[in-house]
Amino acid sequence: MVVVSVVLLGDIGRSPRMQYHVVSLTSEGYNVDFIGFDDSKPIKKILDNDRVKIRPMYQCPSFQKHLPRLIGYIFKAVWQAMILLMSLVFKRRSDVVLVQSPPAVPTLVVCWLYCRLACAKLVIDWHNYAHTNMAFTLGSDEHALVKVTEWVEATFGRRADHSLCVTKAMKEDLRTKWGVQASVLYDRPFESFQATPIDVKHNLYMKLGKQYKAFAGETTSSDKSATAFTKEDADGNITLRDDRPAILISSTSWTEDEDFGILLSALLDYDESDDDSLPRLVCVITGKGPMKEQYAAKMAAVQWRRTSVVLPWLEAEDYPLVLGSADLGVSLHLSTSGLDLPMKVVDMFGCGLPVAAYKFSALPELVEEGKTGMVFETSNQLADKIKDWFRDFPEAQARANKYRKNIETNFQNLRWHENWVLNASKVFQIQD
């Protein structure tokens, strides 16, 4: 039986594309060793899968907090290289290693070395470029760490047996810059991302309302089963409330490559508007990351008039339900290379949810302006689009319905696994 090691130097529970690879591989009869950090639980289809063995890695000590940046980075890379190599060696032998990049250092080096020793195939799945991420963080394309990282990507990218990437723009860039021949595997929504039925919405709002007042709304003794968005009559029939708020949702990793300040400024603009046709707004922002507490404090200091901001950490099963219940999604993904695409928008489209997305060069491969979504570059542009979208809500829904129909026609007919079989399955085949 063919064994595939799926490797990422990150949290397996927060890496949807690599989780979907695992599910597709097992669906096609492969056994999988899933190697990464186990900070968050992966999806149920992995946890309950007898073909998957999760191989958690030890977290790296915080070298960079106590050492100069360059020295700390070197210590971190050496530590991670040792842990990753041991994770690969001290298990059953792999026939194929699928590794996510970025990060490229030390994953590409270690996985290439293991594959040469074990006579295994190396497949790189390019999500973005590690060197552009690093240049963004360090503020310079000329930094020594950026140069070394780019050299690693180019050198070991060329030595891989196969490469996958997320856009046509990245495929062309890999070919012209480094001579890497890659196949495009677009992100597609997993089957769990669907529009949420009204009874499921109601149960979801009841659940969230126990923790977040914005979902519970104002209730009386006669409507204890009501939420801010739904109500249930005496016969058990559930309907949407005419006076419900609108739901805006965004998912963020709370890092520097997503400028959350754009959304915060747009929400302040919306909240301060004197336009009486605008509804109350519940803005749901999911995810966790290093800058979350900083922005949470800023939002808590605001005296909101018509806006409620909720920052839940959702269970994996609830995240698609919340997306499928929203009225508009927002993507703040900046793209350090301009060549990748935001997975969060793919999930939103899977739920039939139109989006407002930050504009960059590869985005038109996913978001069609005026058809499946809207684009913006400034907080003022985003504020105007949010206000235009929700004006006279919920009566004025014709525009939203047109967008949803376009998403269904152009995007939802091909889900992740069918797309994976068409565009990726061949790279994992082993010749006898």
Side-chain angles (χ1 to χ4, degrees):
M1 185 63 66
V2 176
V3 176
V4 180
S5 287
V6 177
V7 178
L8 65 146
L9 212 59
D11 183 0
I12 60 177
R14 297 174 64 193
S15 303
R17 181 175 170 100
M18 302 310 284
Q19 292 186 70
Y20 300 166
H21 272 299
V22 171
V23 174
S24 288
L25 285 163
T26 57
S27 297
E28 296 302 309
Y30 297 92
N31 288 330
V32 175
D33 288 320
F34 199 6
I35 300 173
F37 302 129
D38 61 345
D39 299 338
S40 306
K41 289 194 303 183
I43 57 178
K44 190 173 176 58
K45 281 203 169 187
I46 291 177
L47 292 173
D48 297 342
N49 197 323
D50 292 336
R51 288 186 176 274
V52 181
K53 292 187 181 298
I54 297 175
R55 313 283 188 177
M57 293 192 299
Y58 292 108
Q59 288 280 7
C60 179
S62 302
F63 293 119
Q64 290 166 300
K65 287 185 178 180
H66 309 290
L67 296 170
R69 174 176 282 174
L70 181 59
I71 302 300
Y73 183 81
I74 293 172
F75 271 72
K76 179 180 179 181
V78 171
W79 170 278
Q80 290 179 331
M82 293 172 58
I83 294 299
L84 177 54
L85 187 58
M86 287 190 293
S87 298
L88 286 164
V89 170
F90 293 111
K91 64 170 189 60
R92 54 189 172 178
R93 190 187 74 84
S94 303
D95 299 288
V96 183
V97 174
L98 169 65
V99 57
Q100 170 188 304
S101 187
V105 179
T107 49
L108 297 190
V109 181
V110 173
C111 290
W112 174 84
L113 177 61
Y114 172 82
C115 287
R116 299 293 76 83
L117 295 173
C119 298
K121 290 172 62 175
L122 175 61
V123 180
I124 301 174
D125 190 16
W126 299 89
H127 295 197
N128 199 351
Y129 289 145
H131 72 276
T132 61
N133 285 351
M134 185 165 288
F136 183 86
T137 300
L138 298 175
S140 172
D141 295 334
E142 302 300 320
H143 195 284
L145 291 178
V146 176
K147 295 296 185 183
V148 170
T149 302
E150 185 173 9
W151 178 86
V152 169
E153 289 180 294
T155 301
F156 293 93
R158 285 193 290 263
R159 294 181 180 182
D161 295 285
H162 297 284
S163 284
L164 302 169
C165 63
V166 294
T167 63
K168 291 178 180 176
M170 180 170 282
K171 175 182 178 177
E172 180 61 18
D173 195 68
L174 283 165
R175 184 189 66 82
T176 57
K177 185 162 60 176
W178 296 331
V180 173
Q181 301 297 325
S183 301
V184 178
L185 178 65
Y186 281 123
D187 285 317
R188 291 291 177 180
F190 204 58
E191 59 190 28
S192 56
F193 289 88
Q194 305 278 348
T196 306
I198 190 168
D199 58 330
V200 180
K201 284 185 183 181
H202 181 71
N203 292 333
L204 176 68
Y205 298 149
M206 292 287 288
K207 175 182 175 180
L208 293 175
K210 295 176 182 178
Q211 189 172 359
Y212 305 104
K213 184 179 179 181
F215 288 95
E218 299 294 332
T219 60
T220 65
S221 57
S222 62
D223 63 354
K224 290 183 179 179
S225 60
T227 72
F229 308 91
T230 55
K231 57 185 178 181
E232 182 178 359
D233 65 20
D235 297 324
N237 299 312
I238 298 170
T239 56
L240 291 170
R241 296 174 59 149
D242 292 334
D243 61 346
R244 66 185 184 275
I247 300 180
L248 182 76
I249 187 164
S250 182
S251 177
T252 176
S253 57
W254 300 99
T255 52
E256 292 177 349
D257 62 348
E258 292 185 330
D259 187 355
F260 184 78
I262 292 177
L263 178 56
L264 178 55
S265 295
L267 290 175
L268 289 169
D269 187 317
Y270 183 95
D271 195 72
E272 294 166 0
S273 174
D274 294 326
D275 189 342
D276 293 333
S277 68
L278 296 177
R280 290 175 294 124
L281 184 68
V282 174
C283 180
V284 180
I285 306 167
T286 69
K288 59 182 180 180
M291 301 180 72
K292 181 175 181 178
E293 296 305 319
Q294 172 187 335
Y295 279 106
K298 288 183 178 182
M299 289 180 289
V302 177
Q303 297 296 316
W304 299 101
R305 296 189 310 155
R306 68 166 99 216
T307 307
S308 300
V309 182
V310 182
L311 309 177
W313 174 246
L314 298 169
E315 297 175 12
E317 293 75 17
D318 286 342
Y319 178 59
L321 302 181
V322 171
L323 287 186
S325 303
D327 300 296
L328 182 66
V330 172
S331 170
L332 302 170
H333 183 74
L334 301 180
S335 182
T336 59
S337 66
L339 301 173
D340 65 321
L341 293 172
M343 185 72 184
K344 61 179 70 68
V345 173
V346 176
D347 295 338
M348 290 172 183
F349 282 172
C351 297
L353 179 64
V355 300
Y358 188 88
K359 184 179 180 180
F360 58 92
S361 57
L363 189 67
E365 291 190 41
L366 179 61
V367 178
E368 292 185 76
E369 171 76 23
K371 292 186 177 180
T372 58
M374 305 167 285
V375 299
F376 63 89
E377 295 180 271
T378 66
S379 60
N380 288 338
Q381 290 175 355
L382 177 58
D384 289 343
K385 291 182 185 298
I386 293 174
K387 287 186 283 189
D388 289 344
W389 187 264
F390 288 123
R391 193 164 282 116
D392 296 320
F393 178 89
E395 290 82 5
Q397 288 293 284
R399 183 186 184 196
N401 292 336
K402 181 191 75 171
Y403 277 68
R404 291 179 187 273
K405 184 65 176 177
N406 289 334
I407 291 170
E408 179 181 357
T409 302
N410 299 333
F411 197 85
Q412 292 184 306
N413 293 331
L414 186 64
R415 292 277 168 168
W416 168 268
H417 185 63
E418 292 77 10
N419 186 52
W420 186 92
V421 169
L422 288 172
N423 296 292
S425 60
K426 59 184 178 293
V427 309
F428 299 96
Q429 295 171 1
I430 301 296
Q431 300 296 326
D432 296 328

